[in-house]
Amino acid sequence: MTAVPLDLDPSAVTSLADKAYVAIRDRLIMLAISPGDPIDDDALAQDLGVGRTPVREALKRLEVDRLVVSYARRGTFATGMDISDLAHISDIRAQLEPLAARRAAERAARPVRSELEELASRIEQLDVTQVDRNELMRWDLAVHRAIYRAAGNPHLEDVLVRYDNLATRIFCLFLDRLPTVDEHVGEHVELLRAIAAGDADRADDLARAHVLGFEQAIRAVI
């Protein structure tokens, strides 16, 4: 069983710039491009089978996302990571993730609730002993994207996607040291089912605990 991609809606990728953006963002989040690495737009364009212009457009978007940074006369680099960022990111997510879970539980249409329940079942059936940890992280990303979209607030979704990307980079940096990645991903099952059942209070509580647990897990191995 393979994980759903980072963008759950492939139809959203409508242009070469979108294609480049999603592909480069994936490499940055999963640390295929390491923090601080220079970005070679020519090599990326060749590797992705697109021109330099779509890659440059993608890099401008990724700079807004804080995944790359550009310097005059020096070029573009993957954003470095400082562990102090963890507290700042968690502070935002601890407020907004529960809000998204609550709104999803309150507002999601019946077909969306069915999709969330199905996603919960698929995660529950994962054999974590057979799934690569990077694959587990993709499941983590997929769940959060599904919840954000189910909340029905595109502005909230946009903010949360951005900060979840940054949190996932930190998670990936410490992935090999974390003994409970499977448990972290498994927490999504109960959260998704609370949303699908329309239990807004429980969804709110579980989402907050999930975010705070993530921060505690990282700090435990620093």
Side-chain angles (χ1 to χ4, degrees):
M1 183 183 295
T2 57
V4 284
L6 298 186
D7 276 329
L8 296 183
D9 182 7
S11 65
V13 181
T14 57
S15 69
L16 290 177
D18 286 338
K19 174 185 175 182
Y21 171 77
V22 170
I24 301 168
R25 186 187 66 181
D26 180 63
R27 296 181 188 193
L28 289 161
I29 293 171
M30 304 303 290
L31 304 188
I33 300 175
S34 297
D37 276 0
I39 304 294
D40 185 336
D41 51 359
D42 286 331
L44 279 173
Q46 184 174 2
D47 192 34
L48 298 175
V50 300
R52 292 177 65 186
T53 297
V55 168
R56 288 174 176 174
E57 290 176 8
L59 291 174
K60 288 179 183 178
R61 290 173 63 185
L62 291 163
E63 188 165 16
V64 174
D65 292 344
R66 297 179 180 268
L67 290 171
V68 303
V69 59
S70 295
Y71 300 101
R73 295 181 296 278
R74 287 183 56 199
T76 302
F77 298 80
T79 304
M81 278 195 278
D82 187 323
I83 199 59
S84 64
D85 291 338
L86 177 62
H88 300 314
I89 293 167
S90 295
D91 193 33
I92 294 168
R93 294 181 72 228
Q95 300 302 315
L96 297 185
E97 292 272 353
L99 175 61
R102 175 175 290 277
R103 291 292 180 262
E106 293 171 341
R107 299 175 178 175
R110 183 171 296 178
V112 175
R113 294 180 192 275
S114 296
E115 290 173 5
L116 296 178
E117 179 64 44
E118 180 183 354
L119 184 55
S121 296
R122 292 177 69 190
I123 293 171
E124 192 173 42
Q125 293 167 13
L126 283 175
D127 182 352
V128 296
T129 64
Q130 300 298 319
V131 179
D132 179 83
R133 283 193 160 195
N134 285 338
E135 185 89 342
L136 286 175
M137 292 311 302
R138 291 180 183 279
W139 280 104
D140 183 272
L141 285 161
V143 168
H144 285 279
R145 298 299 188 276
I147 293 172
Y148 305 156
R149 192 165 59 252
N153 182 333
H155 301 286
L156 178 61
E157 179 180 2
D158 183 61
V159 171
L160 278 171
V161 165
R162 183 175 301 175
Y163 283 99
D164 188 47
N165 288 342
L166 296 175
T168 301
R169 285 185 89 215
I170 295 173
F171 209 158
C172 288
L173 187 64
F174 294 97
L175 201 56
D176 291 339
R177 298 190 228 170
L178 294 168
T180 58
V181 176
D182 53 339
E183 293 177 18
H184 178 83
V185 175
E187 289 174 4
H188 292 132
V189 173
E190 196 173 358
L191 173 57
L192 287 167
R193 286 185 171 150
I195 295 171
D199 191 340
D201 288 342
R202 181 156 180 73
D204 185 305
D205 290 342
L206 289 169
R208 182 173 291 102
H210 182 69
V211 171
L212 296 177
F214 162 76
E215 182 177 8
Q216 291 166 4
I218 296 295
R219 292 196 179 282
V221 298
I222 294 174

